[in-house]
Every structure is written in structure tokens, then in C-alpha cells.
Amino acid sequence: MPGRLNRDVAAGALFVLSGAAGLWAGRTLSVGTPEAMGEGYLPRALCLALVAMGIVIAAGGVIRGGAAIERWTVRPLFFVTVSIIAFALVVGIAGLAPAVLVAILVATFAGEPVPIATLAVFALTLTTAVVVGFCWGLGLAVPVVPGVYL
């Protein structure tokens, strides 16, 4: 039913609040001009885009309606948090590739069971993309595995 609180309205409100919080947090940063950008230029632009996207999403939820908000479960929140912590702990010891693999493996427990073959393809693809993106694309000096830098 249009006009009721639903997932889209809640997500849009969360985007607007997050963007507004970012704008408030960066209020003292110098914005500059497009020709001479200050340290606050990109954060402000991204926060404004987040607010605009939130308004569009919330308005769509009010006009069209949408799925009801479901009750929260602790399992996804727990395993995604543990996945992030595991990545942070493993990356300094074993390198980027093993850390990404561990994070994916732990995060898998947050949702529905995934076939092993699908998980393996996803994990290898994402690990390769992360290594290529961070080591070659951004040129970060992060070991892929202990002692191996790309």
C-alpha cells in the first residue's frame, strides 16, 4: 500500500541521515572549486549525492509502496562483523589474498547455505579482483601472501 513505512522509505531515510551526518561532520573542511578542489570537495559531493539518492528512494517507496520491513536477525550482523575483524587480523599476518578468502568464508555463514562450487568460484574471482585492484590498480604495497608483492 502506497504511503506506508516500507523498506524503500526506511532505506531512503537511512541514506538521507547518513548523508546529512557526513555533511555535518565535514562542515569545517575547505571545499574549494572544481579547478582547485579542497579536502572537503569530494566528501561533500558524495554526501549530497547520498542525500539526493535517499530522497528519490524514499519518495519511490511512498508513491509505489514496497515490501514491509522484516524483523532483524542477529546472525548476519554477527558474521559480517566477524568477517571484517578476521580480515583485519589475517591481512597483516598472511597477506591480502588469504585475508580476502577468510573474510568471504566467514561472511558466507551470514546467509543461506551456498554450494561449495559456487562459493569457490566467487571467492577466487573476488580475491583476484581485490588483488589486481589494490596491488596493480592502486599500486598499494600490500603483500599478496607473505613476502610476495605485486
Side-chain angles (χ1 to χ4, degrees), residues 1 13 20 30 35 45 49 65 93 122 129-130 142:
M1 166 185 280
S30 169
E35 294 82 23
I93 298 166
F122 176 73
V130 168
V142 178

Side-chain angles (χ1 to χ4, degrees), residues 31-125:
V31 178
T33 65
E35 294 82 23
M37 294 181 205
E39 68 272 6
Y41 189 89
L42 184 62
R44 183 165 296 168
L46 292 175
C47 288
L48 288 171
L50 191 60
V51 168
M53 189 172 22
I55 291 169
V56 169
I57 291 170
V62 169
I63 295 167
R64 288 189 325 269
I69 299 173
E70 296 176 7
R71 185 174 165 208
W72 283 32
T73 57
V74 175
R75 181 184 172 122
L77 181 62
F78 174 77
F79 279 108
V80 169
T81 303
V82 170
S83 172
I84 294 167
I85 293 169
F87 176 86
L89 294 174
V90 173
V91 74
I93 298 166
L96 185 61
V100 172
L101 290 171
V102 167
I104 292 168
L105 180 64
V106 173
T108 304
F109 293 106
E112 300 296 321
V114 178
I116 296 295
T118 304
L119 177 60
V121 169
F122 176 73
L124 291 174
T125 303

